[in-house]
């Protein structure tokens, strides 16, 4: 495999091969930050002799992302890329945890180091956790780990929290677009002399007459703004297109959307995490620009790869509508799923291969309106959740792409804070705090297992209570394989009576409390990890699912909600996740319009 050795060598033109890495949803938090606060320096870590500025394990296990260990996972991923000599690295948003100064500057320090020592080029786009508010604002977090194991609140103002024990630090405030793009300006947000071409949505594409000086002058953020409705207000759009090596155009789309409540302060803005369903309405200028970029790339023979924080194609293997029917339209973050109408808009504009983050899942999505109007959406997993992984794309000539997913297993310093978490756990026990987290997660042997255990605990503490119908959970936990096979062969009427009788039996006994959670666990392994998660399911359960799903696929169910229809719908959803497009190691050929799994 040939790797990029210098960012401005026209490698694609010389060899037909180039390689780019995508690291998404890092959610970097500086775990040893200087808060500049007299009230709280952090919690002393005897293992390192330093003061750790970390969030509690309780907070981590109720969040869809880790806050602490992902710092080390990011370093581990960069070290891996360094060994592979991959030098073009894309970060599709949520590169920090809420865009605070301490986190943005920590990221800059890391990127600067690898850029200097290893020659890496980094290209970033914004996520909903980077500029939480477009122009910043006062912020705070109440869940930092305190010196005795309790929670410590930190805020930028005494007015932010009512508790008297708040530590005041401006390092926890939100930074906005001006501060974030300035600090990280070397990493795509502004042109570099190392690039062959760079442009943004608010200037004409002029490849033939491109000069760095002209691009630099036009790139000032105040020149890259769009109107917010008829309010007379303007917001920055940090989108750009760049040619870091000859023949490859990277299209970075800023999909953030903000609404304004009418006040004059920075706090009057509110961010949205919905993505392109809203960006297609409130940022229509982007669609016009995308079409110009795509047309120009085709005319010039450039390979165009787009990336954004937000997905452009449905990412549940076609199961989203069925999930809305069973669980509800606002469960499972289903409001973030791009509609078919949204996908069509961007496919019509010329998008073909898009890399996205945001959802913390591994997935490949396909939108196909007609043979010559196909768009692939590659969901890059988060380094802060299961499965912890990054993706690389090896570009073979102009239309052929080999995409590979690399999971993080061994991460140096992964257990650096485990003794501090044990202190937290003791404090929770001593103070008789309810719903204490399961300390067995601290026995995780590596980072991959740690994130899987995080997902299992998160499922029990948050996902099941918030997203699932109670009766469905009871049945899935209690029914054994023989009972499910028996039910799958019943008529609709008999199946519903069988399930009703079983539910009554379970609710009048304690048996349901001791049953397995395996089906729900496997559901999340498939939903979040796709092929990576499927490999973790034992072969005997894979065989059982294959037989059961084949039987369930022949069952009918009433439109009226009942136990039988709920269970049939669940296994129809399960089957769509079970039989997915390749997402681990695969090849896409845009000319032939094919996607093939690589074993």
């Amino acid at each position: 495999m040939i790797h990029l050795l210098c960012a401005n060598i026209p490698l694609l033109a010389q060899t037909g091969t180039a390689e780019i890495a995508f690291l998404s949803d890092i959610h970097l938090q500086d775990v040893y930050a200087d808060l500049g606060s007299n009230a709280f320096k952090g919690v002393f870590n005897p293992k390192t002799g330093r003061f750790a500025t970390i969030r509690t394990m309780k907070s981590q296990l109720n969040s869809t992302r880790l806050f602490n260990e992902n710092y080390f996972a990011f370093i581990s991923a960069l070290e891996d890329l360094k060994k592979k000599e991959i030098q073009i690295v894309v970060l599709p948003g949520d590169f920090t945890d809420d865009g605070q100064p301490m986190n943005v500057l920590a990221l800059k320090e890391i990127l600067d180091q690898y850029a200097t020592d290893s020659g890496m080029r980094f290209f970033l786009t914004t996520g909903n956790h980077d500029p939480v508010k477009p122009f910043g604002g006062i912020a705070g977090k109440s869940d930092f780990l305190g010196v005795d194991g309790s929670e410590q609140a930190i805020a930028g103002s005494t007015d932010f929290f009512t508790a008297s024990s708040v530590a005041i630090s401006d390092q926890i405030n939100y930074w906005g677009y001006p501060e974030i793009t300035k600090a990280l300006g070397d990493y795509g947000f502004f042109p570099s002399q190392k690039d062959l071409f760079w442009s943004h949505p608010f200037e004409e594409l002029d490849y033939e007459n491109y000069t760095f000086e002209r691009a630099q002058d036009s790139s000032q953020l105040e020149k890259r703004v769009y109107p917010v409705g008829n309010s007379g207000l303007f917001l920055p759009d940090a989108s750009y297109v760049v040619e870091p090596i000859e023949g490859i155009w990277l299209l970075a789309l800023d999909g953030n959307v903000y609404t304004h409540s009418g006040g004059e302060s920075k706090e009057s803005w509110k961010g949205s995490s919905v993505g392109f369903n809203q960006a297609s309405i409130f940022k229509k200028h982007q669609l016009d620009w995308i079409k110009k970029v795509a047309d120009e790339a085709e005319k010039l023979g450039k390979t165009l790869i787009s990336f954004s924080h937000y997905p452009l194609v449905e990412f549940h293997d076609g199961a989203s509508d069925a999930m809305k029917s069973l669980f509800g339209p606002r469960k499972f973050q289903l409001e973030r799923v791009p509609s078919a109408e949204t996908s069509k808009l961007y496919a019509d504009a010329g998008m073909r291969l898009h890399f996205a983050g945001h959802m913390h899942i591994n997935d490949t999505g396909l939108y196909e309106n007609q043979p010559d109007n196909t768009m692939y959406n590659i969901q890059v997993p988060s380094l802060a959740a299961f499965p912890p992984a990054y993706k690389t794309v090896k570009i073979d000539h102009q239309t052929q792409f080999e995409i590979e997913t690399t999971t993080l297993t061994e991460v140096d310093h992964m257990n650096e804070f485990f003794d501090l978490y044990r202190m937290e756990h003791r404090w929770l026990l001593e103070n008789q705090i309810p719903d204490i987290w399961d300390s067995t997660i601290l026995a995780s042997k590596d980072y991959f297992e740690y994130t899987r255990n995080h997902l299992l605990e998160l499922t029990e503490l948050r996902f099941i209570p918030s997203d699932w119908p109670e009766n469905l959970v009871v049945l899935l936990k209690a029914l054994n394989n023989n009972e499910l096979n028996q039910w799958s062969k019943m008529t609709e009427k008999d199946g519903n009576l069988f399930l009703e009788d079983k539910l009554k039996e379970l609710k009048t006994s304690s048996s349901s409390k001791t049953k397995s959670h395996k089906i729900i666990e496997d559901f999340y392994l498939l939903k979040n990890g796709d092929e990576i998660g499927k490999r973790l399911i034992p072969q005997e359960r894979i065989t059982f699912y294959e037989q059961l799903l084949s039987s369930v696929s022949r069952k009918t169910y009433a439109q009226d909600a009942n136990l039988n229809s709920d269970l049939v719908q669940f296994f129809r959803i399960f089957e769509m996740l079970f039989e997915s497009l390749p997402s681990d190691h695969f090849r896409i050929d845009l000319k032939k319009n094919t996607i093939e799994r690589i074993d």
Side-chain angles (χ1 to χ4, degrees), residues 266 278 470:
K266 295 179 180 180
Q278 289 189 342
E470 181 182 353

Side-chain angles (χ1 to χ4, degrees), residues 371-572:
D372 59 347
N373 192 18
T374 300
M375 179 169 61
Y376 293 89
N377 184 87
I378 312 300
Q379 282 300 130
V380 184
S382 171
L383 295 183
F386 176 87
Y390 65 86
K391 290 187 184 280
T392 55
V393 56
K394 181 180 177 183
I395 305 163
D396 299 321
H397 307 290
Q398 192 176 349
T399 61
Q400 298 172 13
F401 307 88
E402 180 183 336
I403 298 167
E404 188 169 4
T405 310
T406 300
T407 56
L408 297 183
T409 302
E410 300 297 331
V411 169
D412 289 342
H413 304 285
M414 184 202 81
N415 61 356
E416 189 156 303
F417 305 125
F418 280 20
D419 287 342
L420 300 182
Y421 299 143
R422 293 184 179 99
M423 175 184 70
E424 175 196 343
H425 198 266
R426 287 194 298 271
W427 186 91
L428 294 170
L429 287 172
E430 291 167 359
N431 288 272
Q432 300 181 341
I433 305 299
D435 301 322
I436 297 176
W437 49 270
D438 185 352
S439 63
T440 59
I441 192 173
L442 301 180
S444 302
K445 68 178 185 295
D446 55 42
Y447 189 66
F448 186 80
E449 184 178 279
Y450 181 62
T451 58
R452 182 186 179 184
N453 289 336
H454 171 261
L455 176 61
L456 294 177
E457 187 76 354
L458 180 63
T459 299
E460 196 63 27
L461 292 175
R462 175 174 163 179
F463 291 156
I464 290 176
S466 67
D467 289 346
W468 288 71
E470 181 182 353
N471 288 340
L472 180 61
V473 172
V474 172
L475 289 171
L476 288 173
K477 287 184 176 182
L479 293 172
N480 60 39
N481 290 2
N482 289 334
E483 289 170 324
L484 284 168
N485 277 324
Q486 182 183 353
W487 161 79
S488 72
K489 296 175 175 61
M490 292 179 179
T491 64
E492 181 181 327
K493 180 180 178 181
D494 290 343
N496 198 54
L497 289 172
F498 171 78
L499 295 175
E500 286 179 346
D501 289 343
K502 189 67 181 177
L503 190 63
K504 288 177 185 177
E505 174 191 330
L506 292 167
K507 288 192 171 182
T508 56
S509 70
S510 59
S511 60
S512 63
K513 297 180 182 178
T514 60
K515 294 295 182 178
S516 169
H517 301 185
K518 291 302 182 184
I519 292 178
I520 296 177
E521 291 176 6
D522 292 346
F523 172 84
Y524 278 101
L525 288 177
L526 293 171
K527 187 184 79 69
N528 289 28
D530 205 278
E531 291 181 320
I532 296 172
K534 191 173 184 178
R535 288 200 298 268
L536 298 177
I537 302 175
Q539 183 56 48
E540 62 269 18
R541 290 216 300 277
I542 292 289
T543 301
F544 162 70
Y545 290 137
E546 288 172 343
Q547 295 170 348
L548 178 68
L549 296 173
S550 176
S551 184
V552 172
S553 68
R554 295 188 289 271
K555 286 179 70 69
T556 60
Y557 65 93
Q559 294 301 314
D560 295 336
N562 58 44
L563 294 177
N564 184 77
S565 64
D566 283 357
L567 203 57
V568 172
Q569 284 190 85
F570 170 77
F571 282 114
R572 295 276 175 86

Side-chain angles (χ1 to χ4, degrees), residues 133-403:
K133 294 178 181 291
F135 303 108
I138 303 298
K141 301 286 185 185
S142 62
D143 58 359
F144 278 84
L145 184 62
V147 294
D148 62 351
S150 63
E151 290 187 336
Q152 170 66 54
I154 306 173
S157 167
T158 55
D159 300 328
F160 197 84
F161 292 121
T162 57
S164 58
S165 59
V166 179
I168 304 303
S169 172
D170 60 3
Q171 291 299 300
I172 203 71
N173 287 334
Y174 296 138
W175 263 2
Y177 275 90
E179 298 91 347
I180 291 175
T181 57
K182 180 180 179 181
L184 301 173
D186 291 338
Y187 302 116
F189 290 124
F190 299 100
S192 167
Q193 287 182 306
K194 297 177 182 178
D195 298 321
L196 299 173
F197 179 67
W198 186 98
S199 188
H200 63 77
F202 305 98
E203 67 173 353
E204 290 298 319
L205 285 173
D206 189 359
Y207 189 78
E208 287 77 10
N209 298 307
Y210 175 77
T211 66
F212 166 71
E213 291 75 18
R214 191 180 298 120
Q216 188 177 44
D217 179 65
S218 77
S219 69
Q220 298 170 47
L221 199 61
E222 55 267 27
K223 297 181 180 180
R224 298 158 63 187
V225 296
Y226 65 98
V228 181
N230 297 318
S231 65
L233 300 172
F234 292 82
L235 284 178
D237 181 344
S239 301
Y240 60 91
V241 62
V242 62
E243 185 174 5
I245 57 176
E246 187 174 325
I248 296 176
W249 279 15
L250 294 176
L251 176 60
L253 295 176
D254 175 2
N256 286 348
V257 172
Y258 303 90
T259 56
H260 191 261
S261 63
E264 295 183 1
S265 72
K266 295 179 180 180
E267 312 304 323
S268 302
W269 293 97
K270 183 179 180 181
S272 165
S273 61
V274 172
F276 286 106
N277 285 338
Q278 289 189 342
S280 61
I281 299 171
F282 296 104
K283 288 185 164 182
K284 289 184 178 180
H285 65 275
Q286 277 189 359
L287 278 163
D288 296 334
W289 178 65
I290 290 168
K291 181 164 177 49
K292 292 176 183 177
V293 171
D295 289 346
E296 188 74 1
E298 184 174 7
K299 183 182 79 173
L300 296 171
K302 307 295 182 181
T303 297
L304 179 64
I305 299 174
S306 64
F307 66 96
S308 173
H309 187 57
Y310 304 98
L312 277 171
V313 176
E314 192 270 350
F315 44 75
H316 288 133
D317 303 300
S320 290
D321 286 342
M323 292 170 72
K324 289 177 182 178
S325 175
L326 177 60
F327 298 107
R330 297 193 65 81
K331 304 296 186 180
F332 284 88
Q333 304 184 76
L334 288 166
E335 67 273 12
R336 294 177 167 184
V337 175
S339 67
E341 293 77 13
T342 295
S343 298
K344 183 179 187 303
L345 285 172
Y346 290 87
D348 287 348
M351 308 280 272
R352 294 292 176 265
L353 185 63
H354 182 71
F355 287 80
H358 193 39
M359 301 312 303
H360 300 188
I361 63 173
N362 180 48
D363 181 71
T364 302
L366 170 64
Y367 172 80
E368 190 171 23
N369 187 34
Q370 48 193 348
D372 59 347
N373 192 18
T374 300
M375 179 169 61
Y376 293 89
N377 184 87
I378 312 300
Q379 282 300 130
V380 184
S382 171
L383 295 183
F386 176 87
Y390 65 86
K391 290 187 184 280
T392 55
V393 56
K394 181 180 177 183
I395 305 163
D396 299 321
H397 307 290
Q398 192 176 349
T399 61
Q400 298 172 13
F401 307 88
E402 180 183 336
I403 298 167

